[in-house]
Amino acid sequence: MENKSVEDKNSSLKLIPKFEVYMQYMLKVVLIQLPRVEKFSIGTEYKTLMYDTLRNILLVDNFLEPFYFPQFIDNTYACIPGRGMHKAAKDVQNAMKKCKKEYGDYYILKMDVSKYFPSINKEILLRILKRKIKDKDILWLISQTIFAGRKDEGIPIGNLSSQLFANLYYNEADQFIKHKLKVRYYFRYMDDSIILMKNKEDLKRIKLEIEKYIAENLKLKFNDKTNIFKAKQGVNFCGYKINEYRLKIREKGKRKLKNKVKKLTYQIKNGEMTSKEAKKYLCGHYGYMNIANVYNLINKYFILDETSNYITKK
């Protein structure tokens, strides 16, 4: 892969040759799946979007995930296979049980980065990547992805590569917190993180050191939600209210579930869908509830079918 394709001034479709051949093939495969009318009406803008999407998928799957995932700390959970929100919530609860047993009373530092995705500095992100990746062609491709937008700061939330870039960006702080500050109980889900510690004054010092580090090295800052409080209050993390022995769904989640069930129930009563069809629209909520202490909530909105799956009450 020595020669790069000539830059098209009217398009962002700048790809290294072997990659471009594969993209052309994938584009044809995707187009085959579209209705005939749509095939002939697809314009340059749509093709550009498809190229960008395929480029993101191939870049992440082939180069970035296999290389960087093993380097992340064990207690970061967003967009990493085998982890996720449920594991994050359970790990935090288990750590709270240990702290309760070990310390008795203890404190929690809850940190939330202000406008995280829009604040990611692209030059800093590229420098982080260049520390590990030396292949010029891959770096060029990564650069095309990072600088696809016009601004120096901010990456789009929806892109597959953006999720990994965002994880990788704050991994700098993860390494600092775990290895430089030697924090034992630290957990992060993207831009939302918590630390458990016995002493409030120690947490104040840790908070100041982290704030200084992310400001100087990542050009980030915490928002007003960042605070220190007694652990007996429980902590909001990954959609749950967590304490040592209970995982409760937060009020926002309850309202969302209530509105969804209300809408589906209306559609079932009006013959627009069956209970079986409605179940697929609640899969995310089922998983959300399965690890939480929500017996009364489930009993209020659902019944169990013969396979012990939840279905909406009529």
Side-chain angles (χ1 to χ4, degrees):
M1 295 188 296
E2 295 180 357
N3 299 318
K4 295 179 175 61
S5 58
V6 178
E7 179 177 348
D8 180 352
K9 295 182 180 179
N10 299 317
S11 169
S12 64
L13 309 182
K14 297 176 287 187
L15 304 165
I16 43 188
K18 289 183 180 179
F19 199 83
E20 184 172 2
V21 170
Y22 188 81
M23 296 284 270
Q24 292 280 5
Y25 168 75
M26 288 300 295
L27 184 59
K28 289 179 181 177
V29 170
V30 174
L31 292 180
I32 288 171
Q33 310 304 318
L34 297 174
R36 173 174 287 273
V37 175
E38 290 188 44
K39 281 189 206 176
F40 290 99
S41 63
I42 286 189
T44 303
E45 184 177 342
Y46 186 77
K47 288 184 179 180
T48 300
L49 176 62
M50 292 180 69
Y51 264 87
D52 290 343
T53 301
L54 290 170
R55 179 175 60 191
N56 273 283
I57 292 171
L58 294 172
L59 180 62
V60 171
D61 288 350
N62 289 284
F63 302 127
L64 300 180
E65 277 191 6
F67 189 69
Y68 280 106
F69 276 6
Q71 300 179 34
F72 291 154
I73 64 170
D74 292 338
N75 300 114
T76 184
Y77 300 89
C79 306
I80 299 176
R83 301 190 193 180
M85 298 177 70
H86 296 169
K87 179 170 171 53
K90 294 297 289 185
D91 284 357
V92 167
Q93 186 180 52
N94 289 334
M96 292 176 76
K97 290 178 182 178
K98 291 178 182 178
C99 287
K100 184 67 176 179
K101 184 177 181 180
E102 186 174 349
Y103 306 137
D105 294 331
Y106 62 100
Y107 291 83
I108 297 174
L109 166 59
K110 179 76 160 52
M111 298 169 284
D112 196 350
V113 178
S114 177
K115 300 176 181 177
Y116 183 51
F117 277 80
S119 300
I120 291 175
N121 184 281
K122 295 180 179 182
E123 293 290 349
I124 295 175
L125 174 59
L126 189 58
R127 285 204 301 269
I128 292 170
L129 288 156
K130 282 182 176 179
R131 288 208 305 260
K132 297 288 185 181
I133 298 175
K134 304 302 180 184
D135 184 280
K136 292 182 179 180
D137 286 320
I138 295 177
L139 283 173
W140 179 84
L141 183 61
I142 288 172
S143 181
Q144 299 303 304
T145 304
I146 292 175
F147 291 97
R150 296 180 180 179
K151 296 181 179 179
D152 292 332
E153 292 184 350
I155 57 177
I157 295 177
N159 285 357
L160 179 62
S161 59
S162 294
Q163 306 301 313
L164 190 142
F165 287 150
N167 251 341
L168 180 62
Y169 197 76
Y170 208 81
N171 179 58
E172 300 290 297
D174 292 343
Q175 301 299 330
F176 174 75
I177 293 167
K178 290 295 291 184
H179 302 299
K180 183 69 174 180
L181 300 182
K182 306 292 185 183
V183 173
R184 182 180 176 187
Y185 296 117
Y186 167 69
F187 306 87
R188 177 172 72 87
Y189 192 93
M190 199 54 77
D191 58 332
D192 195 7
S193 55
I194 62 174
I195 292 175
L196 314 178
M197 200 168 281
K198 179 180 180 180
N199 191 287
K200 186 175 182 179
E201 294 305 313
D202 287 340
L203 274 180
K204 288 181 179 180
R205 174 183 57 80
I206 290 290
K207 176 177 175 288
L208 290 174
E209 293 197 48
I210 297 172
E211 283 179 322
K212 181 180 178 182
Y213 180 87
I214 65 172
E216 293 178 353
N217 295 277
L218 301 175
K219 297 187 183 298
L220 298 173
K221 62 180 180 179
F222 292 138
N223 62 26
D224 294 337
K225 297 178 184 178
T226 299
N227 64 333
I228 299 171
F229 50 90
K230 291 182 178 180
K232 66 181 181 181
Q233 299 177 24
V235 60
N236 293 324
F237 191 62
C238 291
Y240 297 95
K241 180 77 170 183
I242 309 171
N243 64 29
E244 290 89 355
Y245 301 104
R246 285 185 65 84
L247 273 175
K248 298 173 68 176
I249 294 178
R250 296 172 61 184
E251 290 303 317
K252 181 179 179 181
K254 289 180 182 179
R255 288 196 300 271
K256 189 175 181 180
L257 173 63
K258 180 180 178 180
N259 292 335
K260 175 69 76 173
V261 170
K262 185 177 180 180
K263 180 180 178 180
L264 291 174
T265 301
Y266 175 84
Q267 290 176 311
I268 292 170
K269 286 182 177 179
N270 284 275
E272 297 175 25
M273 68 171 63
T274 65
S275 294
K276 185 176 181 180
E277 290 171 335
K279 282 170 59 177
K280 65 182 180 182
Y281 294 100
L282 292 166
C283 288
H285 294 286
Y286 295 155
Y288 189 38
M289 293 185 296
N290 274 338
I291 69 165
N293 305 110
V294 289
Y295 175 80
N296 290 335
L297 184 67
I298 292 173
N299 191 52
K300 183 176 181 180
Y301 291 115
F302 299 94
I303 58 175
L304 290 175
D305 64 12
E306 63 276 5
T307 58
S308 297
N309 291 318
Y310 300 132
I311 58 176
T312 56
K313 285 187 174 180
K314 294 185 178 181

